[in-house]
Amino acid sequence: MTDTPLSARDLDRLRHIAEASERALRYTSEGRASLDDERTYDAVLRCLTVIGEALAAVSDEAYRRLPSVPPGLPKAQRNLIVHEYWRIKPEVIWATVQQQLPSLIHDVKTALNE
């Protein structure tokens, strides 16, 4: 824990991350087959893009408060979605949503409550 308060900008970005993460989990709550629906798939990709962009925009201090996030990985995934969309694998998107987002939400909510 740290005594340094986060900036208003960081707090906004962290809220955006939590909201997008929760939406992606909600959109896929019916299971892996949820991503077979093109609207759901596109919506989840949009959520992951927002998460990657917001994580790239937070300060180093805010990023340090998110121990479950590997440095650079969200931005790399965001860049893949945006710039190399043909390489996206639905199974990787599913794994990201199910395995990474719950920990991210926990870390973000902890940081917001500090």
Side-chain angles (χ1 to χ4, degrees):
M1 302 294 178
T2 181
D3 294 324
T4 307
L6 294 176
S7 70
R9 181 174 180 247
D10 280 340
L11 294 172
D12 282 343
R13 297 303 175 269
L14 290 174
R15 283 187 208 93
H16 298 161
I17 293 164
E19 291 165 2
S21 298
E22 289 169 344
R23 279 195 312 272
L25 284 169
R26 192 171 58 249
Y27 297 158
T28 59
S29 65
E30 298 296 316
R32 166 60 183 84
S34 302
L35 294 178
D36 293 337
D37 175 74
E38 67 184 19
R39 289 183 187 150
T40 302
Y41 187 72
D42 289 348
V44 170
L45 290 181
R46 171 70 175 136
C47 290
L48 294 175
T49 301
V50 168
I51 293 164
E53 193 67 22
L55 282 167
V58 298
S59 69
D60 290 342
E61 177 62 33
Y63 210 96
R64 278 192 291 275
R65 297 182 191 198
L66 308 173
S68 69
V69 182
L73 184 61
K75 186 173 183 181
Q77 187 172 45
R78 176 248 179 235
N79 287 342
L80 181 70
I81 292 167
V82 172
H83 299 294
E84 298 182 53
Y85 58 87
W86 63 91
R87 292 182 49 213
I88 301 168
K89 293 184 167 80
E91 57 274 8
V92 173
I93 299 304
W94 175 248
T96 299
V97 170
Q98 294 302 303
Q99 297 171 13
Q100 303 299 318
L101 294 188
S103 297
L104 177 60
I105 291 168
H106 176 268
D107 289 349
V108 167
K109 289 186 175 185
T110 300
L112 286 169
N113 290 319
E114 288 180 347

